[in-house]
Amino acid sequence: MDSLTPQDLFSPSKARQQREQAADWAQIDSWLSYKYSGRTVPTFERNEETLKVLRELAAANERADEERMVLERVEREAARELEDVESKTSNTENEKLLEAIKHNLTPDGQESLHALATTAVILNTPTTDPETLAHALISHTQTSQTLTNNLAHVRTLQGYLKKQHALLREQLHTIQSDPAFATPPTLQRQTTEQIRQTKHLRAKIREHEDRLMALQNSGRAAVTPASRGVSSAEAIADMLEQQNVLDGMREKVEALEREVDMYKGLPADKEAARREVAKLEVELDLLRRRRDDLFANLVS
């Protein structure tokens, strides 16, 4: 496209020509973008000759598209008319043929024809060929037998699940009603008391450790070279006595902690704790039975 010069700005004809070319180029760009369907349009030189060729190509393409659409529409209409004619002719001929066959058949033949047609319809076969009907019948028989076997398997599985469900309900009733699986009524009170004692003993241990540390520091500061022997002996005896007391308290705390750990993981609610204990006792009973069975099998 030629660029505008200062002289062209004062020429109405030149400006109109430039506007027309710009509109033509916009139309060509839109047409090329549509034809390339999102792909990159190749670069080319934009001049008057290229614009002329592209306009002629676009016009020819539009005419070809219109001719193709008209041709397709004519072909569809012709095919539809041909199908209508063939359908009418075929239906008429088939009806005449069927009437002729029925008129010349014996009652047994009509009954056989009706049975053959009914079989073809039920088996959903496109033809009444005996071989095709036989293959379809065999296929349906195999499918029916497979479904029957699957149904029997499902019923067996359903019966097994019902038995297991009844057994589980019986075990649940036993767990809920048997006093052996009940949680001791004092469990929560014992747990609370042991936790309280553990906290109290931990506080005592920290107190005695602080006192022991203070005695050690004061003993080291008060001992003089003259009285080092007597003071050291008394301090050591006192320290040993306090250490023994401290060790005894520590052992007691550890014993209480072990007892509390036995109930670790149980819920705070009494009923929930009972159910959890009952569940664990059932598991223990099952493990004992399994152990006894394994031992009996080993002995035998």
Side-chain angles (χ1 to χ4, degrees):
M1 184 184 301
D2 296 335
S3 59
L4 290 174
T5 61
Q7 292 79 11
D8 295 335
L9 295 176
F10 301 96
S11 175
S13 59
K14 188 67 174 178
R16 183 172 61 255
Q17 182 181 1
Q18 293 293 336
R19 288 196 300 270
E20 292 176 355
Q21 288 183 356
D24 291 341
W25 277 115
Q27 185 178 2
I28 291 299
D29 290 337
S30 176
W31 176 70
L32 289 175
S33 299
Y34 172 75
K35 288 299 180 183
Y36 276 87
S37 300
R39 293 175 295 172
T40 304
V41 179
T43 57
F44 54 88
E45 185 179 356
R46 293 175 176 261
N47 50 38
E48 292 183 0
E49 295 181 357
T50 305
L51 179 60
K52 180 181 178 181
V53 172
L54 289 176
R55 279 203 304 262
E56 294 177 355
L57 180 61
N61 186 262
E62 291 178 359
R63 289 194 300 271
D65 290 341
E66 292 177 356
E67 292 176 358
R68 179 173 53 81
M69 292 175 61
V70 172
L71 181 60
E72 289 178 354
R73 184 168 62 252
V74 171
E75 289 179 351
R76 287 196 298 269
E77 292 178 356
R80 186 166 56 251
E81 292 177 358
L82 183 60
E83 288 178 357
D84 293 339
V85 172
E86 290 180 352
S87 177
K88 292 179 181 179
T89 304
S90 177
N91 290 336
T92 304
E93 292 178 355
N94 290 336
E95 290 177 358
K96 292 180 178 179
L97 180 61
L98 181 60
E99 291 296 332
I101 292 174
K102 287 182 177 180
H103 182 72
N104 292 284
L105 282 176
T106 62
D108 293 338
Q110 291 183 0
E111 185 178 356
S112 299
L113 179 62
H114 179 72
L116 181 62
T118 305
T119 303
V121 171
I122 293 175
L123 295 178
N124 194 21
T125 56
T127 179
T128 57
D129 180 59
E131 186 176 356
T132 303
L133 294 176
H135 285 294
L137 185 60
I138 293 172
S139 177
H140 282 280
T141 303
Q142 292 177 348
T143 304
S144 176
Q145 185 64 34
T146 302
L147 293 176
T148 303
N149 294 335
N150 293 337
L151 182 59
H153 177 70
V154 170
R155 288 176 177 173
T156 303
L157 181 60
Q158 183 181 8
Y160 173 76
L161 292 176
K162 286 183 178 179
K163 291 181 181 179
Q164 292 297 322
H165 182 260
L167 179 61
L168 291 175
R169 291 186 66 87
E170 182 180 356
Q171 291 179 354
L172 178 61
H173 177 70
T174 302
I175 292 172
Q176 292 176 346
S177 59
D178 194 348
F181 297 106
T183 306
T186 60
L187 175 62
Q188 186 174 2
R189 183 174 57 81
Q190 291 176 357
T191 303
T192 305
E193 181 65 23
Q194 289 176 352
I195 292 174
R196 188 186 63 79
Q197 292 180 3
T198 301
K199 291 181 179 179
H200 177 70
L201 290 175
R202 285 178 179 174
K204 286 290 186 181
I205 289 174
R206 287 195 296 268
E207 180 182 354
H208 284 283
E209 286 178 349
D210 294 339
R211 291 177 59 186
L212 179 61
M213 185 64 66
L215 288 173
Q216 290 176 351
N217 293 334
S218 63
R220 284 194 298 268
V223 171
T224 60
S227 60
R228 184 179 301 275
V230 177
S231 300
S232 298
E234 293 177 354
I236 290 172
D238 191 12
M239 290 172 57
L240 289 175
E241 182 179 357
Q242 292 182 1
Q243 184 66 35
N244 292 332
V245 173
L246 183 63
D247 292 340
M249 291 179 127
R250 183 179 289 107
E251 291 177 357
K252 188 174 182 180
V253 169
E254 291 177 354
L256 288 174
E257 288 180 346
R258 286 193 295 270
E259 292 181 3
V260 171
D261 288 338
M262 294 174 62
Y263 301 98
K264 186 177 181 181
L266 291 177
D269 183 61
K270 181 171 68 176
E271 296 299 330
R274 288 181 178 180
R275 289 193 295 270
E276 187 67 22
V277 171
K279 179 180 178 182
L280 294 176
E281 289 179 349
V282 169
E283 293 181 359
L284 178 61
D285 187 43
L286 292 176
L287 291 175
R288 286 176 177 173
R289 293 178 182 177
R290 183 179 179 185
R291 182 198 62 186
D292 296 339
D293 293 339
L294 291 175
F295 182 75
N297 293 332
L298 182 63
V299 172
S300 61

